[in-house]
Amino acid sequence: MLFRSLLVPLVAATATLAGRTLPGFAYASGENFAINGQKFYYFGTNAYWFSFLSDINDVSIAMDQAKAAGIKVIRTWGFREVNATYVPGGLPKYGDEGAGPSTIYFQKWTDGVPAINYGDNGLKRLDQIVTLAEKKGLKIIFALTNNWADYGGSDVYVANLGGKYHDDFYTNSAMKSAWKNEGILRLPNIDFGTFHLYPDWWSKTPEWGTNFTIAHAKLQNKVRKPVISEEYGWLLDSDRQAWLGRSSNVTRNEAIGAWQAAAIKYKIAGDMYWQLGVDGLSFGNSTNDGFTIFMKSPEAKQLIFEHAKKMNRPAY
């Protein structure tokens, strides 16, 4: 949740090479995506934790449940930075947030020098995810950094390369170059927009969220580029009271249902809720951050299964 990511989509997100499209890969075509010449609207989800699970079979189980629900695209983290050199209270370790500790990481910083991990507990894990998704007919989007400090994100570059402010990541040439050097694949002509929607954190109403969605859909048509509703969520009221000290009589079905209806009506190119919740993993249920929608939860029928059928229909 609340991760504003810099994206390089892989395995059928957006790909053109020397002016031609690649078979099986999605590409931008006006305000839509397309695959093999056919419009591709999709319903997807986020499962940032795929990349950190120690047992790849757990990823396979989760993918199977997602596909069975009608999900076509899954967005996960293609980054996990750790610091070999850290200073308590100063330079943090990073990497054990959210889903908990993991031996998997993709880049390690030692005295300000980054080293990419190409091993089995590094980039080879992303290869495994790509292979699984391909076999199951799913598409993957890898987010390659995080606007926040979780799992390293952009702040790891600022902390290790002598920056002073969070936004130095976007302006400092050394930091930008270091991030680009970690890039796994660079595809030309990737050009689409994204937005995230968390009214709970922003002290906004669900109605505001609906208008926010519509505004981005209209912008999609204005600039003739695809726009993805990349993350959105509405807390259960018990979590809202515990974390924010306030309550709402608007249910998750009512709030998210209205945003999803707007996405369909105004033909948002892609729709990805936060976040995937599954059971039956080697350790039980997947991680729950308060926004997770589990497949067996009451709201899943409307917000996942029924919405997937509407979003994925050919005439959408």
Side-chain angles (χ1 to χ4, degrees):
M1 66 178 184
L2 295 176
F3 295 116
R4 180 169 159 264
S5 304
L6 299 173
L7 299 179
V8 174
L10 307 175
V11 193
T14 304
T16 61
L17 186 61
R20 65 183 178 85
T21 60
L22 302 179
F25 280 67
Y27 55 91
S29 177
E31 63 265 41
N32 307 121
F33 291 114
I35 296 179
N36 301 331
Q38 301 295 315
K39 285 185 178 181
F40 179 66
Y41 295 98
Y42 72 85
F43 177 52
T45 189
N46 291 269
Y48 75 92
W49 38 272
F50 270 15
S51 304
F52 315 145
L53 296 182
S54 59
D55 188 347
I56 193 64
N57 290 325
D58 284 331
V59 179
S60 181
I61 291 169
M63 283 186 177
D64 287 340
Q65 292 188 35
K67 183 176 181 180
I71 290 167
K72 289 184 177 181
V73 180
I74 300 175
R75 177 171 169 262
T76 190
W77 281 191
F79 68 94
R80 187 171 187 270
E81 312 272 347
V82 296
N83 278 327
T85 307
Y86 68 94
V87 178
L91 192 62
K93 292 182 179 181
Y94 298 118
D96 292 342
E97 304 85 349
S102 172
T103 60
I104 296 171
Y105 69 93
F106 305 125
Q107 186 165 248
K108 179 181 287 186
W109 293 78
T110 304
D111 295 327
V113 178
I116 297 174
N117 180 9
Y118 294 99
D120 291 337
N121 68 330
L123 296 186
K124 286 185 180 179
R125 170 47 57 94
L126 300 186
D127 290 339
Q128 291 178 310
I129 292 173
V130 168
T131 300
L132 274 177
E134 186 176 18
K135 288 179 179 179
K136 297 175 186 297
L138 293 167
K139 311 300 183 186
I140 295 292
I141 294 178
F142 284 123
L144 295 187
T145 195
N146 185 0
N147 189 52
W148 310 122
D150 300 74
Y151 300 102
S154 57
D155 279 357
V156 77
Y157 295 87
V158 177
N160 279 282
L161 296 176
K164 185 176 181 180
Y165 302 106
H166 168 78
D167 289 354
D168 288 345
F169 175 80
Y170 300 99
T171 58
N172 183 284
S173 58
M175 295 175 196
K176 291 191 290 184
S177 294
W179 177 77
K180 290 177 181 178
N181 288 338
E182 191 190 7
I184 302 161
L185 176 64
R186 300 183 185 95
L187 301 175
N189 302 322
I190 296 174
D191 200 0
F192 61 89
T194 68
F195 67 97
H196 297 181
L197 178 56
Y198 295 100
D200 281 305
W201 293 132
W202 306 340
S203 299
K204 300 292 185 181
T205 66
E207 293 78 15
W208 181 92
T210 302
N211 292 331
F212 190 69
T213 301
I214 294 171
H216 283 82
K218 291 181 176 179
L219 185 61
Q220 168 182 272
N221 297 329
K222 180 179 180 180
V223 302
R224 289 191 56 75
K225 297 181 186 298
V227 170
I228 301 172
S229 178
E230 190 179 60
E231 294 184 20
Y232 57 87
W234 183 248
L235 289 170
L236 296 176
D237 203 49
S238 56
D239 290 322
R240 185 178 297 107
Q241 292 178 37
W243 296 348
L244 303 178
R246 62 174 183 265
S247 184
S248 173
N249 60 4
V250 179
T251 68
R252 179 174 279 175
N253 278 10
E254 291 170 336
I256 294 180
W259 308 338
Q260 290 181 335
I264 291 173
K265 180 178 179 180
Y266 292 90
K267 298 186 177 180
I268 287 284
D271 178 343
M272 311 183 74
Y273 71 94
W274 186 280
Q275 65 168 322
L276 177 67
V278 298
D279 64 356
L281 304 180
S282 62
F283 53 89
N285 293 342
S286 61
T287 184
N288 182 8
D289 63 359
F291 290 100
T292 304
I293 303 179
F294 284 93
M295 292 296 180
K296 292 185 177 181
S297 66
E299 61 266 26
K301 180 177 183 293
Q302 173 190 331
L303 302 181
I304 299 177
F305 293 90
E306 293 179 359
H307 182 60
K309 292 178 181 177
K310 297 173 183 176
M311 193 74 185
N312 293 337
R313 71 181 190 271
Y316 168 52

